[in-house]
Amino acid sequence: MNAVVFDHCGDPEEVLQVRDVPTPEPGPGQVRVRMLASPVNPSDLLYVRGMYGSAPPLPATPGFEGAGIVEASGGGLLARRVMGKRVAVVSSMGGNWREQTVVPARQAIPVPTDIPIDQAATFFVNPASAVVMTQYVLRIPRGAWLLQTAAGSALGRMIIRLAKHSGFKTMNVVRRREQADELLRLGADAVICSSDESIPDRALALTNGNGVPFAIDAVGGKTASDAVMALGANGRMLVYGTLSMEPMTVDPRTLMVNHKTVEGFWLSIWAARQNPLTMLLLFRRIGQLMRGGVLASDVGATFGLDQIREAAREAAKPGRHGKVLIKIAST
Ligand SMILES: NC(=O)c1ccc[n+]([C@@H]2O[C@H](COP(=O)([O-])OP(=O)(O)OC[C@H]3O[C@@H](n4cnc5c(N)ncnc54)[C@H](OP(=O)(O)O)[C@@H]3O)[C@@H](O)[C@H]2O)c1
């Protein structure tokens, strides 16, 4: 079978190759999934570059999520229960950019058949992060403001729709002015363009000088530093991405005097700390919200497995529209 493989970390356009590798056999408690589709997320590209936060066991196959059909079981109750089902495959060690993959049965999550395959392929990473950050960690109450950076991202758009659905308000930071109208149409309450206006000044103006109670940042650098300045007294900010690859600068007095908090959020660590019931209820909630279109991903260009370098190039393009998807098989 074909698999995307890299032997050393580096630029995805240079190090990714498609190789014929042996079909893996599932052991006890594992299943083999025939993969249908998988997205190219920013975390996949960081993993290939060796900058993700956990080192790939080389040679490695990227792909933290995707969807497929369970075609073989290595035995065990859970593995037998998902046999033949269409599942979302979640793996914190990558491995989904291949025609067949083996995972523990608990990482093969049955997805309702009325959810299209491109949405099933993006079932976990962004939807779970949107729900968990806003509702499980920050617990944003109805009517409260959330400031988010990289608001035009797939995840940012989910949060705008989730806010409309749940009743909190979003202040959305983008780097390109042309994204503003699109996000306002989607339900954004306010859009701030970081390239031509001050994030803290605009946030203070929108909150009668109080600052925002909640913020989430995926950019880092000056944008993250400005988001901290936009927080009000007792404000809380989650840092969940490093898109600019630049460190943030925070005046310790603003944290101290105003009792602000800046915390890291990483979905894989959060998920590893939850019990199976919490995860089951989260998967159910994602399924419901995805069916209702709240947690939908806009899909942009699609590529075959053999076009992986083109897919990586497209995914890294600034101003790209929609999630890049790898179509691995049609049925
Ligand atoms: N911590 C976690 O557990 C976790 C989980 C899920 C996702 N994430 C992170 O969430 C972020 C969004 O993921 P996604 O899949 O939604 O991404 P995506 O759809 O690929 O979108 C990326 C967005 O980031 C913007 N962007 C890229 N570089 C930027 C920069 N230097 N400054 C400002 N904006 C920049 C792009 O803006 P343009 O449109 O202007 O190009 C684009 O809107 C990523 O950083 C990802 O790693 C983290």
Side-chain angles (χ1 to χ4, degrees):
M1 63 145 196
N2 285 324
V4 173
V5 180
F6 59 107
D7 294 313
H8 55 269
C9 293
D11 181 346
E13 278 188 62
E14 286 168 17
V15 300
L16 293 178
Q17 302 173 19
V18 178
R19 220 177 266 166
D20 191 11
V21 299
T23 300
E25 288 306 325
Q30 295 181 323
V31 289
R32 187 172 67 224
V33 181
R34 187 162 44 77
M35 294 301 296
L36 298 177
S38 177
V40 181
N41 285 324
S43 50
D44 297 313
L45 300 180
L46 284 177
Y47 187 65
V48 178
R49 290 181 179 278
M51 300 162 91
Y52 177 61
S54 64
L58 297 169
T61 293
F64 289 118
E65 66 176 345
I69 312 277
V70 178
E71 63 173 13
S73 149
L77 186 64
L78 206 51
R80 280 197 295 274
R81 277 189 60 187
V82 293
M83 254 314 277
K85 292 208 167 130
R86 201 171 64 135
V87 293
V89 184
V90 179
S91 172
S92 60
M93 293 305 291
N96 285 338
W97 292 357
R98 52 203 292 162
E99 287 175 326
Q100 288 150 308
T101 192
V102 164
V103 289
R106 65 175 184 284
Q107 288 170 220
I109 305 151
V111 176
T113 45
D114 56 345
I115 293 180
I117 192 65
D118 52 355
Q119 299 301 314
T122 54
F123 187 84
F124 189 65
V125 175
N126 284 336
S129 299
V131 172
V132 171
M133 284 196 291
T134 59
Q135 301 189 331
Y136 290 46
V137 180
L138 294 177
R139 297 172 181 270
I140 303 172
R142 292 180 75 80
W145 276 108
L146 168 73
L147 181 146
Q148 66 160 338
T149 64
S153 68
L155 177 45
R157 287 161 194 260
M158 285 179 195
I159 286 176
I160 292 171
R161 287 188 296 254
L162 190 59
K164 279 279 140 228
H165 182 81
S166 312
F168 62 89
K169 294 187 285 186
T170 56
M171 206 178 279
N172 298 279
V173 179
V174 293
R175 62 176 171 178
R176 293 180 295 118
R177 173 64 61 194
E178 58 267 32
Q179 273 185 324
D181 283 347
E182 204 187 333
L183 296 192
L184 289 168
R185 277 198 302 276
L186 204 62
D189 295 285
V191 178
I192 303 175
C193 181
S194 57
S195 53
D196 60 28
E197 60 187 323
S198 155
I199 298 172
D201 287 357
R202 186 76 198 291
L204 286 174
L206 285 163
T207 54
N208 300 321
N210 293 321
V212 292
F214 303 103
I216 57 173
D217 173 63
V219 175
K222 182 174 183 328
T223 304
S225 312
D226 284 352
V228 176
M229 294 308 295
L231 285 174
N234 302 307
R236 245 179 115 183
M237 178 162 118
L238 298 184
V239 172
Y240 73 98
T242 54
L243 288 161
S244 72
M245 298 307 285
E246 286 168 8
M248 61 196 278
T249 312
V250 178
D251 175 359
R253 280 207 82 74
T254 188
L255 297 184
M256 192 177 86
V257 174
N258 299 299
H259 234 249
K260 299 179 184 179
T261 316
V262 179
E263 303 158 54
F265 173 81
W266 204 7
L267 181 64
S268 49
I269 291 191
W270 181 89
R273 292 177 180 165
Q274 308 308 309
N275 63 45
L277 181 62
T278 304
M279 293 309 290
L280 188 71
L281 294 175
L282 175 62
F283 297 147
R284 267 204 205 141
R285 182 150 170 69
I286 292 172
Q288 285 159 357
L289 290 168
M290 198 171 256
R291 233 189 241 124
V294 176
L295 294 180
S297 299
D298 295 334
V299 173
T302 60
F303 296 86
L305 207 56
D306 56 341
Q307 298 171 299
I308 194 63
R309 291 185 178 189
E310 289 94 319
R313 185 182 317 138
E314 177 66 20
K317 258 190 207 160
R320 154 185 55 79
H321 185 78
K323 190 57 72 189
V324 172
L325 202 67
I326 308 167
K327 289 267 188 196
I328 302 172
S330 50
T331 49

